Amino acid sequence: MTIHRLESHADFVRVHFHPGSGPRHADFHWFWLRHNSELDRHPLTHERIVCSSELPFELRPRDVRVTSDATALEVDWGDRADGQVSRYDSQWLQTHAYAMGRSPAPAPPSDVSALAVDPKRLDGPLGRAVLQRLQDTGAAVVRGFGNDTEALIEAFGREGLSVIETHFGRIEDLRTDNTTNLHTDQLGYTDSAVQLHTDQPFLERPPRYQLLHCQRPAEVGGENSVVDGLAAALHLADVDSHAFDLLRTVPVTFHRKQRDFERVLTAPLLDFAAPGGFRIRYSYFTLAPHRVPFAEMEAWYRAYNRFAKLVRDEHHQYRFRLGEGDLLVYDNWRMLHARTAFSGARWLRGVYFDAE
Ligand SMILES: [Fe+2]
């Protein structure tokens, strides 16, 4: 059996074999290939003379190719003074394949057109189209609706969504000069960047949806981003099942203390057993000091950081800027959201909704 073609990915290579019966491709991590290479063998005994711990885990090849007779894979690691490349016979790869026929869970998507709902090209009511988009992608962006937030509340109300009043009130005015809210001692009311988070993870049932309705954009900055936390969780499960299990099972504590408000809640970050379905709680500014046995702490931080790195990669984010009259609605149980720092009198109106 020969090698038909290769697909090179960031962490692994996919080898397509041909012809064959059953699965015709297998995935191999780069580090696994480097460790199992014929390089670094004793010239007489042919035993391996390098331990995997001596090789850089993040090593990526300079070049990867199929030999002209299609019987082997060749990898040039670019780190050899002698210019030698690794060679893996097709038969050897199949004998030692550990991920034959694997179908990966994709990383969170970033094509922002998937969120767009155009009010001028709808068959039915806007509220219904937004709700459908929320179910499909976790977020919806509507351009040029205008500034009437009450009209939006009515439109969503007709689809069964009710406004959830929180300690920020019924409608919160997110602006640096807010004087109507008693709880403005938080990042959202400043002009600083707010990194990815979910809202109000310290509540037993965080608000399901949030509308962010732009009344006045920033002069500079103030871009929004949202990330599909469910896709990120499933991708993590696919590439690092131990990290996924830790974030799914180890409870963390969220603690919000403001001048006149305090809540504490303990729950796992990735909750697949929550009533109503998947729920992600992720908030670096309300995460309380983490407590687990000493021997478990490093592993938890590694898992958390791996997830954070995944969602903070801009290639895995929907990124856009809201203009006056534009709006974003996102599912706060599924999506993370963020905004960049800004200058100018940016003013967004925020409203929480739930279907109950
Ligand atoms: Fe937020």
Side-chain angles (χ1 to χ4, degrees), residues 278-331:
F278 175 73
R279 201 174 293 178
I280 179 169
R281 296 172 194 269
Y282 183 93
S283 167
Y284 62 102
F285 45 86
T286 60
L287 193 61
H290 190 45
R291 288 177 73 94
V292 282
F294 189 90
E296 295 172 21
M297 190 60 88
E298 278 188 23
W300 187 85
Y301 267 95
R302 268 198 298 271
Y304 181 87
N305 292 350
R306 178 141 200 189
F307 184 80
K309 209 170 153 190
L310 177 66
V311 294
R312 291 172 73 137
D313 182 337
E314 291 192 8
H315 295 101
H316 303 155
Q317 302 177 348
Y318 296 113
R319 298 179 70 86
F320 49 91
R321 190 166 192 272
L322 297 177
E324 181 176 338
D326 296 348
L327 58 112
L328 159 69
V329 191
Y330 65 84
D331 180 346

Coordinates of all heavy atoms in Angstrom, one line a residue, residues 278-331:
F278 N -25.6 22.3 27.7 CA -24.2 22.7 27.9 C -24.2 24.2 28.5 O -24.9 25.0 28.1 CB -23.5 22.7 26.6 CG -22.1 23.2 26.7 CD1 -21.1 22.5 27.4 CD2 -21.7 24.5 26.2 CE1 -19.8 23.0 27.5 CE2 -20.4 25.0 26.2 CZ -19.5 24.2 26.9
R279 N -23.3 24.4 29.4 CA -23.1 25.7 30.0 C -21.6 25.9 30.2 O -21.0 25.0 30.9 CB -23.9 25.8 31.3 CG -24.2 27.2 31.7 CD -25.1 27.2 32.9 NE -26.4 26.6 32.6 CZ -27.3 26.5 33.6 NH1 -27.1 26.8 34.8 NH2 -28.5 26.0 33.3
I280 N -21.1 27.0 29.7 CA -19.7 27.3 30.0 C -19.6 28.5 31.0 O -20.4 29.4 30.8 CB -18.8 27.5 28.8 CG1 -17.4 27.9 29.1 CG2 -19.4 28.6 27.9 CD1 -16.4 27.9 28.0
R281 N -18.8 28.4 32.0 CA -18.5 29.5 32.9 C -17.0 29.8 32.8 O -16.2 28.9 33.1 CB -18.8 29.1 34.4 CG -20.3 28.8 34.6 CD -20.5 28.2 36.0 NE -21.8 27.6 36.2 CZ -22.9 28.2 36.6 NH1 -22.8 29.5 37.0 NH2 -24.0 27.6 36.7
Y282 N -16.8 31.0 32.4 CA -15.4 31.4 32.1 C -15.2 32.9 32.4 O -15.8 33.7 31.6 CB -15.1 31.0 30.7 CG -13.7 31.2 30.2 CD1 -12.7 30.2 30.3 CD2 -13.3 32.5 29.7 CE1 -11.4 30.4 29.9 CE2 -12.0 32.7 29.3 CZ -11.0 31.6 29.4 OH -9.8 31.8 28.9
S283 N -14.5 33.2 33.4 CA -14.4 34.6 33.7 C -13.2 34.9 34.6 O -13.2 34.6 35.8 CB -15.7 35.0 34.5 OG -15.5 36.3 35.1
Y284 N -12.1 35.4 33.9 CA -10.8 35.5 34.6 C -10.9 36.6 35.7 O -10.2 36.5 36.7 CB -9.7 35.9 33.6 CG -9.9 37.2 32.9 CD1 -9.3 38.3 33.3 CD2 -10.8 37.3 31.8 CE1 -9.5 39.5 32.6 CE2 -11.1 38.4 31.2 CZ -10.4 39.6 31.5 OH -10.6 40.8 30.9
F285 N -11.9 37.5 35.6 CA -11.9 38.5 36.7 C -12.8 38.2 37.8 O -12.9 38.9 38.8 CB -12.3 39.9 36.1 CG -13.4 39.9 35.1 CD1 -14.7 40.0 35.5 CD2 -13.2 39.8 33.7 CE1 -15.8 40.0 34.6 CE2 -14.2 39.8 32.8 CZ -15.5 39.9 33.3
T286 N -13.6 37.1 37.8 CA -14.3 36.7 38.9 C -13.9 35.3 39.4 O -14.6 34.7 40.3 CB -15.9 36.7 38.7 OG1 -16.2 35.8 37.6 CG2 -16.4 38.1 38.3
L287 N -12.9 34.7 38.9 CA -12.4 33.4 39.3 C -11.6 33.6 40.6 O -10.7 34.3 40.8 CB -11.4 32.9 38.2 CG -11.0 31.4 38.3 CD1 -12.2 30.5 38.2 CD2 -10.0 31.2 37.2
A288 N -12.1 32.9 41.6 CA -11.6 32.9 43.0 C -10.3 32.1 43.0 O -10.1 31.2 42.1 CB -12.6 32.4 44.0
P289 N -9.4 32.3 44.0 CA -8.2 31.4 44.1 C -8.6 30.0 44.1 O -9.5 29.5 44.8 CB -7.6 31.8 45.5 CG -8.1 33.3 45.7 CD -9.5 33.3 45.1
H290 N -7.9 29.2 43.2 CA -8.3 27.8 43.0 C -7.8 27.0 44.1 O -6.6 27.1 44.5 CB -7.8 27.4 41.6 CG -8.3 26.1 41.1 ND1 -9.7 25.8 41.2 CD2 -7.7 25.1 40.5 CE1 -9.8 24.6 40.7 NE2 -8.7 24.1 40.3
R291 N -8.6 26.0 44.5 CA -8.1 25.1 45.6 C -8.3 23.6 45.1 O -9.5 23.2 44.9 CB -8.9 25.3 46.9 CG -8.6 26.6 47.6 CD -9.5 26.8 48.8 NE -9.1 25.8 49.8 CZ -8.3 26.1 50.8 NH1 -7.8 27.4 51.0 NH2 -8.1 25.3 51.8
V292 N -7.2 22.9 45.0 CA -7.3 21.5 44.8 C -6.1 20.9 45.5 O -5.2 21.7 45.8 CB -7.3 21.1 43.3 CG1 -8.6 21.2 42.6 CG2 -6.1 21.8 42.5
P293 N -6.0 19.6 45.7 CA -4.8 19.0 46.3 C -3.5 19.5 45.5 O -3.6 19.6 44.3 CB -5.0 17.5 46.2 CG -6.5 17.4 46.3 CD -7.0 18.6 45.5
F294 N -2.4 19.6 46.3 CA -1.2 20.1 45.7 C -0.8 19.4 44.4 O -0.4 20.0 43.4 CB -0.1 19.9 46.7 CG 1.3 20.6 46.3 CD1 1.5 21.9 46.7 CD2 2.2 19.9 45.6 CE1 2.7 22.5 46.3 CE2 3.4 20.5 45.3 CZ 3.7 21.8 45.6
A295 N -1.0 18.0 44.4 CA -0.6 17.2 43.3 C -1.5 17.4 42.1 O -1.1 16.9 41.0 CB -0.6 15.7 43.7
E296 N -2.6 18.1 42.2 CA -3.5 18.2 41.1 C -3.4 19.6 40.5 O -4.0 19.9 39.5 CB -4.9 17.9 41.6 CG -5.1 16.5 41.9 CD -6.5 16.2 42.6 OE1 -7.4 17.0 42.4 OE2 -6.6 15.2 43.3
M297 N -2.8 20.6 41.2 CA -2.8 22.0 40.8 C -2.2 22.2 39.4 O -2.7 22.9 38.6 CB -2.1 22.8 41.9 CG -2.4 24.3 41.7 SD -4.1 24.8 41.7 CE -4.4 25.0 43.5
E298 N -1.0 21.7 39.2 CA -0.3 21.9 38.0 C -1.1 21.4 36.8 O -1.2 22.1 35.8 CB 1.1 21.2 37.9 CG 2.2 22.0 38.7 CD 3.5 21.3 38.4 OE1 3.7 20.6 37.4 OE2 4.4 21.5 39.3
A299 N -1.7 20.3 36.9 CA -2.5 19.7 35.8 C -3.7 20.5 35.5 O -4.0 20.7 34.3 CB -2.9 18.3 36.2
W300 N -4.3 21.1 36.6 CA -5.5 21.9 36.3 C -5.1 23.2 35.6 O -5.7 23.6 34.6 CB -6.2 22.3 37.6 CG -7.5 23.0 37.3 CD1 -8.7 22.4 37.0 CD2 -7.7 24.4 37.2 NE1 -9.6 23.4 36.7 CE2 -9.0 24.6 36.8 CE3 -6.8 25.5 37.4 CZ2 -9.5 25.9 36.6 CZ3 -7.3 26.8 37.2 CH2 -8.7 27.0 36.8
Y301 N -4.0 23.8 36.0 CA -3.6 25.0 35.3 C -3.2 24.8 33.9 O -3.4 25.6 33.0 CB -2.4 25.7 36.1 CG -3.0 26.8 37.0 CD1 -3.2 26.5 38.4 CD2 -3.2 28.0 36.6 CE1 -3.7 27.4 39.2 CE2 -3.7 29.0 37.5 CZ -3.9 28.7 38.8 OH -4.4 29.6 39.7
R302 N -2.5 23.6 33.6 CA -2.1 23.3 32.3 C -3.4 23.1 31.4 O -3.5 23.6 30.3 CB -1.3 22.0 32.2 CG 0.2 22.2 32.3 CD 0.9 20.9 31.8 NE 0.7 19.8 32.7 CZ 1.3 19.5 33.8 NH1 2.4 20.2 34.1 NH2 1.0 18.4 34.5
A303 N -4.4 22.5 32.0 CA -5.7 22.3 31.2 C -6.4 23.6 31.0 O -6.8 23.9 29.8 CB -6.6 21.3 32.0
Y304 N -6.4 24.4 32.0 CA -7.1 25.7 31.8 C -6.4 26.6 30.8 O -7.0 27.2 29.9 CB -7.1 26.4 33.2 CG -7.8 27.8 33.1 CD1 -9.2 27.9 33.3 CD2 -7.1 29.0 32.9 CE1 -9.8 29.1 33.3 CE2 -7.7 30.2 32.8 CZ -9.1 30.3 33.0 OH -9.7 31.5 33.0
N305 N -5.0 26.6 30.9 CA -4.3 27.4 30.0 C -4.4 26.9 28.5 O -4.3 27.7 27.6 CB -2.8 27.5 30.4 CG -2.6 28.3 31.7 OD1 -3.6 28.9 32.2 ND2 -1.5 28.2 32.3
R306 N -4.5 25.6 28.4 CA -4.6 25.1 27.0 C -5.9 25.5 26.4 O -6.0 25.9 25.3 CB -4.5 23.5 27.1 CG -4.7 22.9 25.7 CD -3.9 21.8 25.4 NE -3.8 21.6 24.0 CZ -3.2 20.5 23.4 NH1 -2.7 19.6 24.2 NH2 -3.2 20.4 22.1
F307 N -7.0 25.5 27.2 CA -8.3 25.9 26.8 C -8.2 27.4 26.5 O -8.7 27.9 25.4 CB -9.4 25.6 27.8 CG -10.7 26.0 27.3 CD1 -11.4 25.2 26.5 CD2 -11.3 27.2 27.7 CE1 -12.7 25.5 26.0 CE2 -12.6 27.6 27.3 CZ -13.3 26.7 26.4
A308 N -7.6 28.2 27.4 CA -7.5 29.7 27.2 C -6.8 30.0 25.9 O -7.2 30.9 25.1 CB -6.8 30.3 28.4
K309 N -5.7 29.3 25.7 CA -4.9 29.5 24.5 C -5.7 29.3 23.2 O -5.6 30.0 22.2 CB -3.7 28.6 24.5 CG -2.5 29.2 23.8 CD -1.2 28.3 24.1 CE -0.3 28.4 22.9 NZ 0.8 27.5 23.0
L310 N -6.5 28.2 23.3 CA -7.4 27.9 22.2 C -8.4 29.0 21.8 O -8.5 29.4 20.7 CB -8.1 26.6 22.5 CG -9.1 26.0 21.6 CD1 -8.4 25.5 20.3 CD2 -9.8 24.8 22.2
V311 N -9.1 29.5 22.9 CA -10.1 30.5 22.6 C -9.6 31.9 22.4 O -10.2 32.7 21.7 CB -11.2 30.5 23.7 CG1 -12.0 29.2 23.8 CG2 -10.6 30.8 25.1
R312 N -8.3 32.1 22.9 CA -7.8 33.5 22.7 C -7.0 33.6 21.4 O -6.5 34.7 21.1 CB -6.9 33.8 23.9 CG -7.7 34.0 25.2 CD -6.8 34.2 26.4 NE -6.2 35.5 26.4 CZ -6.0 36.2 27.5 NH1 -6.6 35.9 28.6 NH2 -5.4 37.4 27.4
D313 N -6.9 32.5 20.6 CA -6.4 32.6 19.3 C -7.4 33.3 18.4 O -8.5 32.8 18.2 CB -6.1 31.1 18.8 CG -5.4 31.1 17.5 OD1 -5.6 32.1 16.7 OD2 -4.8 30.1 17.2
E314 N -6.9 34.4 17.8 CA -7.9 35.1 16.9 C -8.4 34.3 15.7 O -9.5 34.7 15.2 CB -7.2 36.4 16.4 CG -6.9 37.4 17.5 CD -6.5 38.8 17.0 OE1 -6.5 39.0 15.7 OE2 -6.1 39.6 17.8
H315 N -7.7 33.3 15.3 CA -8.2 32.4 14.3 C -9.5 31.7 14.7 O -10.2 31.1 13.9 CB -7.1 31.4 13.8 CG -6.0 32.1 13.2 ND1 -4.8 32.3 13.9 CD2 -5.8 32.6 12.0 CE1 -3.9 32.9 13.1 NE2 -4.5 33.1 11.9
H316 N -9.7 31.6 16.0 CA -10.9 30.9 16.5 C -12.0 31.8 17.0 O -12.8 31.4 17.8 CB -10.5 29.9 17.6 CG -9.4 29.0 17.2 ND1 -8.5 28.4 18.1 CD2 -9.0 28.5 16.0 CE1 -7.7 27.6 17.5 NE2 -8.0 27.7 16.2
Q317 N -11.9 33.1 16.6 CA -12.9 34.1 17.1 C -13.6 34.7 16.0 O -13.1 35.0 14.9 CB -12.1 35.2 17.9 CG -11.2 34.7 19.0 CD -10.4 35.8 19.7 OE1 -10.3 36.9 19.1 NE2 -9.9 35.5 20.8
Y318 N -14.9 35.0 16.2 CA -15.7 35.9 15.4 C -15.3 37.3 15.8 O -15.5 37.7 17.0 CB -17.2 35.7 15.6 CG -17.7 34.4 15.2 CD1 -18.2 33.5 16.1 CD2 -17.8 34.0 13.8 CE1 -18.8 32.3 15.8 CE2 -18.4 32.8 13.5 CZ -18.9 31.9 14.5 OH -19.4 30.7 14.1
R319 N -14.8 38.2 14.9 CA -14.4 39.5 15.3 C -15.1 40.5 14.4 O -15.1 40.4 13.2 CB -12.9 39.7 15.2 CG -12.1 38.7 16.1 CD -10.6 38.9 16.0 NE -10.1 40.2 16.5 CZ -9.8 40.4 17.8 NH1 -9.9 39.4 18.7 NH2 -9.5 41.6 18.2
F320 N -15.6 41.6 15.0 CA -16.3 42.6 14.2 C -16.5 43.8 15.1 O -16.1 43.9 16.3 CB -17.7 42.0 13.9 CG -18.5 41.5 15.1 CD1 -19.3 42.3 15.8 CD2 -18.3 40.1 15.4 CE1 -20.0 41.7 16.9 CE2 -18.9 39.6 16.5 CZ -19.8 40.4 17.3
R321 N -16.9 44.9 14.4 CA -17.1 46.2 15.1 C -18.5 46.6 14.9 O -19.0 46.6 13.7 CB -16.1 47.2 14.5 CG -16.1 48.5 15.3 CD -14.9 49.3 14.8 NE -14.6 50.4 15.7 CZ -15.2 51.6 15.6 NH1 -16.0 51.8 14.6 NH2 -14.9 52.5 16.5
L322 N -19.2 47.0 15.9 CA -20.6 47.4 15.8 C -20.6 48.9 15.5 O -20.0 49.7 16.2 CB -21.4 47.1 17.1 CG -21.5 45.6 17.5 CD1 -22.2 45.5 18.9 CD2 -22.3 44.8 16.4
G323 N -21.5 49.3 14.5 CA -21.7 50.7 14.3 C -23.0 51.2 14.9 O -23.7 50.3 15.5
E324 N -23.3 52.4 14.8 CA -24.5 52.9 15.5 C -25.7 52.2 14.9 O -25.9 52.1 13.7 CB -24.6 54.4 15.2 CG -25.9 55.0 15.8 CD -26.0 56.5 15.7 OE1 -25.0 57.2 15.4 OE2 -27.2 57.0 15.8
G325 N -26.6 51.7 15.8 CA -27.8 51.0 15.3 C -27.6 49.5 15.1 O -28.5 48.8 14.8
D326 N -26.4 49.1 15.2 CA -26.1 47.6 15.0 C -26.2 46.9 16.4 O -26.2 47.5 17.4 CB -24.6 47.4 14.6 CG -24.4 48.0 13.2 OD1 -25.3 48.3 12.5 OD2 -23.2 48.0 12.8
L327 N -26.4 45.6 16.3 CA -26.6 44.9 17.6 C -26.0 43.5 17.5 O -25.9 42.9 16.4 CB -28.0 44.8 18.0 CG -29.0 44.1 17.0 CD1 -29.5 42.8 17.5 CD2 -30.2 45.1 16.7
L328 N -25.6 43.0 18.6 CA -25.1 41.6 18.8 C -26.0 41.0 19.9 O -26.3 41.6 20.9 CB -23.6 41.7 19.3 CG -23.1 40.4 20.0 CD1 -22.9 39.2 19.0 CD2 -21.8 40.7 20.7
V329 N -26.4 39.8 19.6 CA -27.0 38.9 20.6 C -26.2 37.6 20.7 O -25.9 37.1 19.6 CB -28.5 38.6 20.3 CG1 -29.2 38.0 21.5 CG2 -29.3 39.8 19.9
Y330 N -25.9 37.2 21.9 CA -25.1 35.9 22.0 C -25.7 35.1 23.1 O -26.4 35.6 24.0 CB -23.6 36.2 22.3 CG -23.4 36.9 23.6 CD1 -23.3 36.1 24.7 CD2 -23.3 38.2 23.7 CE1 -23.1 36.7 26.0 CE2 -23.0 38.8 24.9 CZ -22.9 38.1 26.1 OH -22.8 38.6 27.3
D331 N -25.5 33.8 23.0 CA -25.9 32.8 23.9 C -24.9 32.7 25.0 O -23.8 32.2 24.8 CB -26.1 31.4 23.2 CG -26.6 30.3 24.2 OD1 -26.5 30.5 25.4 OD2 -27.0 29.3 23.7

